[in-house]
Amino acid sequence: MEELTGQLVVVHPQLTTDPVSRQGQIGVIAIADLQKDNISVGFGGGPLGRYSSDALLVLKDKRELYQDIMTGVKDMDAGTFKDLLDINMKQEYSDYGHISAAMKIAVENPEVMKRSMISLEDYISRNHNINVSEEVSFER
């Protein structure tokens, strides 16, 4: 998936072994070798970090997040609701600044992170399934 190159990701804050000590930090995918599950991430200085796709987090799709917010509003406190809406509003802009700001909000609160982010592994899996179903629909 070449489209992963340049995508913002967060190194999972609870990652136990990280040779470049970037847990909880936002980086940019420099190289993605999905066959070997080896994702190289840059952090604006220093060496690239190498991670598996389950060690990296991305924001949920903005439509999915909005739906989750609206259906789960009764199960969350006001602060979580506010933070999730703020993240979702920032997702309306697809530039690095807004997405990075949204990720920072998510990482600051474990509950918000749990509700607004998924692993890169899940993201790849979901997008692969979408691409496969699109290919099938074109063949009919």
Side-chain angles (χ1 to χ4, degrees), residues 15 17-20 31 37-41 43 47-52 55-56:
L15 188 63
T17 55
D18 183 356
V20 292
I31 304 167
D37 193 30
N38 189 358
I39 314 296
S40 296
V41 179
F43 297 95
L48 293 177
R50 286 185 167 180
Y51 303 94
S52 62
L56 300 170

Side-chain angles (χ1 to χ4, degrees), residues 58-110:
V58 295
L59 291 170
K60 286 182 178 178
D61 175 75
K62 64 184 176 183
R63 290 173 295 277
E64 179 185 357
L65 179 57
Y66 182 78
Q67 183 153 0
D68 289 352
I69 294 167
M70 293 301 121
T71 58
V73 68
K74 294 178 185 177
D75 301 329
M76 64 182 85
D77 61 44
T80 299
F81 180 74
K82 178 189 160 296
D83 285 346
L84 289 171
L85 280 180
D86 193 15
I87 289 168
N88 198 239
M89 287 190 301
K90 289 179 183 343
Q91 286 181 297
E92 289 299 318
Y93 306 93
S94 56
D95 62 275
Y96 284 115
H98 283 93
I99 299 302
S100 176
M103 288 178 155
K104 285 178 186 174
I105 294 167
V107 171
E108 289 175 0
N109 180 329

Side-chain angles (χ1 to χ4, degrees), residues 111-129:
E111 181 65 21
V112 173
M113 185 176 76
K114 181 178 86 174
R115 292 177 181 263
S116 64
M117 302 191 93
I118 60 172
S119 71
L120 183 62
E121 180 179 46
D122 288 344
Y123 172 84
I124 293 167
S125 168
R126 290 177 185 190
N127 284 329
H128 177 48
N129 290 339

